[in-house]
Amino acid sequence: MVEATFLFIIEVIGTVAFAISGIRLAASKHFDWFGAYTVGLVTAIGGGTVRDVLLDIPVFWMQTWWYLAVTGLALAFVILFRRSLLRRTHTLFIFDAIGLALFVMIGIEKTLTAGYPMWVAIIMGMITGAFGGVVRDILINEEPLFFRKDIYATACIAGGIVYWLTEIAGANSYVVQISCASTVIALRILAVKYSWQLPTMEDDTRYTTDAANDPAPTKPKRNSWRPW
C-alpha cells in the first residue's frame, strides 16, 4: 500500500513536470490557453497511455481525475509566471528532464508489476518517458527530440539498465528507483553540457552529372541525409 502510494505521488510529480514543459513550449508558440492545456496534457499522459494500451491494463489517467487537475494547475503556474519561464530558456529542459526520469521509472515499475520480463520493462520505460514528448513536438510542429541525435531515448534505456543492474545487486526498491531516475537526469544534463550526440545517418551515394556539357559523371558531391 505504501509503495503504491509512493508510485502514485511520483507519477503525479512527473505529470506536473511534463505538463509544465509542454505548456511552456506551447506558450512560446503563442497558443491560447486551451491549446496550451491540450499540449501539456498530451505531453504528460501520452507515453503512459501507449504503455497501458500495449500492456493491456487500465489506462492510468482514466482511473482518477487527478492527472487532468494537476495539468490545469500546471497551466495556471505557467500563466502566472509566464514571463519568467519564457526568459529562462533552460526551464523547459529542467522540467522535461525531471518528467522523463520519473516516467521511465514508473513505466518500468508498472510493466514488472504486470508480469513482463525486464527487457520489456526497459522498452516500456522508454515509451512512457519519451512518447509524450514526441506527440508534443508533433503538435507544435517541431522535430521530435526522440528522433534527433540528442541523448534522449538513449538516456531512458540507460536508466532502465541501471534499474536492472541495481535490482540484481539486491538494492532495496527506493535505491533502485532513485538510481534509475538519477541516471536519466544526469545523462540529459551531461549531454547538453558537453554536447554529447549520437551519430547521424549519412548518404554519400548521390552523384551529380552535367548531361548537357559532359555525359560522364562529374566529381561526386557529398550530400547528408539527416531525417531529424
Side-chain angles (χ1 to χ4, degrees):
M1 182 64 179
V2 174
E3 186 170 351
T5 302
F6 173 75
L7 290 178
F8 174 73
I9 293 172
I10 292 297
E11 194 161 38
V12 169
I13 294 172
T15 300
V16 172
F18 254 171
I20 289 176
S21 75
I23 293 168
R24 189 266 183 199
L25 198 55
S28 69
K29 298 284 187 176
H30 306 291
F31 281 36
D32 63 22
W33 288 9
F34 179 77
Y37 177 86
T38 301
V39 172
L41 183 63
V42 168
T43 306
I45 70 173
T49 300
V50 174
R51 174 203 65 216
D52 291 348
V53 170
L54 291 175
L55 295 179
D56 196 23
I57 61 177
V59 178
F60 72 104
W61 60 268
M62 294 182 178
Q63 310 306 306
T64 175
W65 53 268
W66 267 91
Y67 302 101
L68 302 180
V70 297
T71 302
L73 292 176
L75 175 63
F77 177 81
V78 175
I79 291 171
L80 289 174
F81 301 101
R82 180 175 179 272
R83 291 185 179 180
S84 178
L85 289 173
L86 290 178
R87 280 200 305 266
R88 299 177 181 179
T89 56
H90 63 279
T91 304
L92 173 64
F93 168 76
I94 293 172
F95 283 109
D96 188 76
I98 293 173
L100 184 69
L102 295 180
F103 273 26
V104 168
M105 184 191 72
I106 290 295
I108 294 172
E109 289 278 343
K110 287 198 170 184
T111 305
L112 293 176
T113 301
Y116 288 88
M118 180 57 72
W119 67 270
V120 176
I122 293 174
I123 294 174
M124 288 300 166
M126 179 186 68
I127 289 174
T128 306
F131 194 80
V134 172
V135 180
R136 174 199 66 202
D137 292 342
I138 291 172
L139 287 176
I140 64 172
N141 198 28
E142 293 279 353
E143 288 181 316
L145 278 173
F146 188 88
F147 300 120
R148 298 184 208 169
K149 54 190 175 182
D150 302 65
I151 304 298
Y152 195 80
T154 311
C156 299
I157 295 173
I161 293 173
V162 168
Y163 184 106
W164 176 49
L165 293 176
T166 51
E167 188 176 62
I168 290 176
N172 66 56
S173 60
Y174 295 111
V175 172
V176 171
Q177 293 161 0
I178 292 172
S179 298
C180 171
S182 299
T183 299
V184 177
I185 293 174
L187 278 177
R188 288 292 293 141
I189 292 174
L190 291 173
V192 171
K193 183 176 181 179
Y194 296 107
S195 300
W196 292 350
Q197 298 175 339
L198 295 176
T200 58
M201 298 294 294
E202 300 287 346
D203 182 5
D204 299 323
T205 61
R206 293 184 179 181
Y207 296 88
T208 60
T209 59
D210 188 355
N213 300 321
D214 186 359
T218 61
K219 184 178 180 180
K221 182 179 180 180
R222 183 183 179 88
N223 289 280
S224 296
W225 174 61
R226 302 181 187 276
W228 38 82

